[in-house]
Amino acid sequence: MWSVGDVAKSLGFEADGDLTLQVKTASHPAEASPADLALALDDVHAEALKEGEAEAAMMAPGADWRAHGLRAVIFAPRPRYAMAGATTLFAAPIDLAPGVHASAAVAEDAEIGEDVWIGPFTVIGPGARIGRGARICGQVSVGAGAEIGESVLLHPGVRIGHAVRIGARTRVHHNAVVGGDGFSFVTPETGSVESAKQSGTIAVGAENTVWARIHSLGAVVVGADVEIGSCATIDRGTVIDTRIGDGAKIDNQVQIGHNCQVGQNCMLCGQVGLAGSVVLGDRVVLGGQVGVADHTRIGHDALVMASSGVATNLKARGIYGGSPALPRDEITRILLATRRLPRLASDVQSLKKRLSKGEGTG
């Protein structure tokens, strides 16, 4: 339990009312009990306070909290950021005491730091190094020679390939795979894909339909303070390492191909797919289901809207959308013009009928 005053002090916010009032967690206003801190950070959620039983709430500065029958309030100037602080404060701790579960298989030459937890049925490969305070949950595998940084959290089912390096405080969520082989194959002579790219036609024989694997000799290097979502997959490089910059946030079911270079503090939303050798600058944001073609470069601070297809390089600090992705103003004009096509088609059909009857257009 926290007092309202302590919560406000911890988050650096101003508060009013009975600051000794105790709260145990944060809650939606409509579902809040008297022991909950209701997150009523906008007008819609403030209105929902009447559906719950909250006595304390977090609200926008200047909100008339007494009109809602509250006993205490915390004023949050930036609602979404306030939610980050409040949910962090009330989040259940990862309560895993240091030690190695009896069912875990840890190679004799693996280096295990202090205060590390290794969960049941987890495998730590030869020569792997696990940093101080790491938490490795059950049914995780860490490949030979891999390095796991300090205070890393690997959720159940995570797979870390050999020689992969994971930076400090990074979190990898359930069933993600970091360090699988890249999807890279080649035919003995020019194949259909190469032919299509070079000439726009496909003229290959049956002898060129057998694919030879290009093995992945590189690894994956993940920076510090990175989040990798459930079932995300990051392929190792061919002869260079695939790299994920510090602070990057990677959502569930994201695919990052071999040799990709993802900058610092990028955000890749659900089902984003990066083909091989894509380079993202720092702070790039890719909306859900964005696909990026191989060897494409996207500049710093660019934002690509959901469901877009990136086929060519994009400049820094631009907002892009559509398939192929174009600057926002341009794609907006195209979409508006597309909506007018049915009317245009109807007008053309009407004109054709009048002309066929010998009527003038004047």
Side-chain angles (χ1 to χ4, degrees):
M1 298 285 282
W2 291 71
S3 73
V4 171
D6 286 342
V7 173
K9 183 178 179 180
S10 176
L11 299 177
F13 296 155
E14 294 183 1
D16 199 359
D18 181 2
L19 303 189
T20 65
L21 189 65
Q22 299 289 302
V23 291
K24 64 179 181 181
T25 190
S27 177
H28 188 284
E31 300 176 358
S33 75
D36 293 343
L37 177 68
L39 299 179
L41 295 164
D42 55 32
D43 291 342
V44 172
H45 289 91
E47 186 65 20
L49 283 167
K50 63 185 180 183
E51 301 176 37
E53 300 176 340
E55 296 184 350
M58 186 177 290
M59 304 184 75
D64 187 0
W65 57 279
R66 290 186 176 86
H68 294 282
L70 299 173
R71 293 173 55 194
V73 66
I74 298 173
F75 293 116
R78 179 163 159 73
R80 289 283 292 173
Y81 195 71
M83 284 189 65
T87 54
T88 298
L89 195 65
F90 291 112
I94 305 299
D95 190 16
L96 298 172
V100 178
H101 194 275
S103 64
V106 180
E108 292 184 1
D109 62 346
E111 298 180 20
I112 309 301
E114 298 178 3
D115 193 32
V116 167
W117 162 251
I118 297 176
F121 303 106
T122 283
V123 177
I124 308 296
R129 294 194 291 177
I130 311 299
R132 177 195 299 267
R135 296 291 183 265
I136 302 178
C137 297
Q139 298 183 327
V140 170
S141 63
V142 177
E147 298 181 15
I148 307 300
E150 292 188 3
S151 301
V152 164
L153 173 61
L154 304 182
H155 283 275
V158 166
R159 302 288 180 256
I160 305 296
H162 67 276
V164 168
R165 302 199 296 277
I166 306 290
R169 299 173 301 281
T170 286
R171 293 185 173 211
V172 186
H173 292 269
H174 300 70
N175 299 315
V177 179
V178 181
D181 270 2
F183 188 72
S184 191
F185 299 87
V186 65
T187 52
E189 302 294 338
T190 301
S192 58
V193 175
E194 293 170 282
S195 175
K197 286 184 175 180
Q198 293 170 5
S199 65
T201 61
I202 298 177
V204 297
E207 69 276 9
N208 291 330
T209 60
V210 178
W211 298 96
R213 166 183 285 276
I214 298 176
H215 288 269
S216 299
L217 306 183
V220 177
V221 178
V222 177
D225 302 300
V226 173
E227 291 258 356
I228 299 173
S230 297
C231 298
T233 50
I234 304 176
D235 292 344
R236 58 197 316 113
T238 305
V239 293
I240 65 171
D241 295 334
T242 300
R243 291 183 177 271
I244 310 298
D246 293 346
K249 308 305 177 191
I250 298 168
D251 198 0
N252 302 338
Q253 297 181 323
V254 168
Q255 155 66 13
I256 298 177
H258 59 278
N259 303 338
C260 285
Q261 309 292 304
V262 175
Q264 296 184 10
N265 294 306
C266 290
M267 176 172 283
L268 279 56
C269 299
Q271 298 185 334
V272 159
L274 305 185
S277 301
V278 167
V279 177
L280 303 184
D282 297 337
R283 300 171 300 279
V284 170
V285 177
L286 304 182
Q289 295 186 324
V290 167
V292 184
D294 59 285
H295 296 87
T296 301
R297 304 178 73 91
I298 300 178
H300 299 313
D301 301 295
L303 189 156
V304 183
M305 294 183 284
S307 300
S308 298
V310 180
T312 57
N313 295 343
L314 302 180
K315 294 181 180 180
R317 302 187 65 83
I319 302 174
Y320 302 91
S323 186
L326 297 169
R328 179 178 59 178
D329 291 346
E330 186 173 350
I331 196 65
T332 298
R333 287 195 299 270
I334 291 172
L335 291 173
L336 290 174
T338 301
R339 293 183 64 182
R340 291 193 291 267
L341 285 177
R343 181 185 299 177
L344 177 61
S346 177
D347 291 345
V348 170
Q349 188 66 23
S350 177
L351 288 171
K352 287 174 65 177
K353 288 181 179 180
R354 292 177 62 184
L355 289 171
S356 67
K357 295 178 180 179
E359 298 178 11
T361 59

